[in-house]
Amino acid sequence: MRAQFREIDARPAKKVAQAKARKKRVAMRKLESVKRKANSISDQTDISERSKMKMIDKLYKKATPKRPNKEYQVAKKGVHVKPGKGKVLVDPRMKKDMRTHGVGKPGKAGKKKGKGAKVRGKGGKGKSKGFGGLADKKGKKMGRKR
């Protein structure tokens, strides 16, 4: 009996299934209309191929459903909160730090390379600039006087 009840509980409710089906139908209808519009755009001869592609991409971007962003729940002292689906539990200190430093990963400018990060110039062949008399004005290397 218990196994039978578990099987019944595992099945989605009728209303949930209907809602999912409605959502799917709406999405399919949207995609069909986008396809028709895309075909009409591609049939036009007076527009360049690149602009056609841009227009079609724009249409498809609007039609695809967007995922909701993560919601952040701030943890409070002494109160234990269980974050639900799509929610992330964070402490207030972390939130403040994120605000001061700016959210997001640093770009190439923020990263430091390994060895020789402080070396001036890019290296490679050619004139060495600003290295205190290692090269004369014409680019010829000169030995140091001992």
Side-chain angles (χ1 to χ4, degrees):
M1 285 289 280
R2 279 185 184 168
Q4 212 173 5
F5 278 123
R6 272 195 223 113
E7 202 177 295
I8 291 166
D9 288 340
R11 290 183 204 150
K14 188 179 177 184
K15 296 280 184 186
V16 174
Q18 286 174 347
K20 282 183 180 177
R22 270 198 309 275
K23 227 176 189 181
K24 198 173 183 180
R25 261 181 292 175
V26 168
M28 291 300 285
R29 226 179 284 141
K30 248 185 189 178
L31 276 174
E32 284 297 319
S33 67
V34 166
K35 276 182 188 176
R36 271 191 253 116
K37 285 177 185 176
N39 285 334
S40 66
I41 288 170
S42 64
D43 289 340
Q44 291 175 359
T45 54
D46 57 327
I47 305 171
S48 68
E49 290 295 318
R50 191 171 177 177
S51 57
K52 281 182 194 178
M53 286 296 290
K54 270 191 180 179
M55 288 166 81
I56 291 168
D57 282 341
K58 218 178 208 180
L59 282 173
Y60 274 103
K61 251 184 199 171
K62 281 184 184 177
T64 52
K66 290 163 191 89
R67 275 191 172 176
N69 293 333
K70 284 182 183 176
E71 193 178 311
Y72 294 100
Q73 275 190 332
V74 181
K76 289 183 175 82
K77 219 174 192 179
V79 182
H80 186 72
V81 184
K82 263 192 177 179
K85 197 174 184 183
K87 292 181 181 179
V88 181
L89 193 68
V90 292
D91 59 315
R93 177 78 256 149
M94 189 172 109
K95 293 278 281 186
K96 283 176 187 170
D97 289 343
M98 292 285 261
R99 277 191 217 109
T100 53
H101 296 302
V103 184
K105 295 175 184 173
K108 286 183 180 177
K111 290 182 183 176
K112 284 194 175 182
K113 284 140 186 121
K115 290 182 179 178
K118 294 180 181 178
V119 174
R120 286 179 271 157
K122 292 183 180 177
K125 294 180 182 176
K127 288 184 188 178
S128 55
K129 296 176 185 173
F131 281 100
L134 290 178
D136 67 351
K137 289 180 183 177
K138 293 181 183 174
K140 294 176 186 171
K141 288 187 180 177
M142 293 168 49
R144 288 195 175 169
K145 293 176 184 174
R146 292 186 184 146

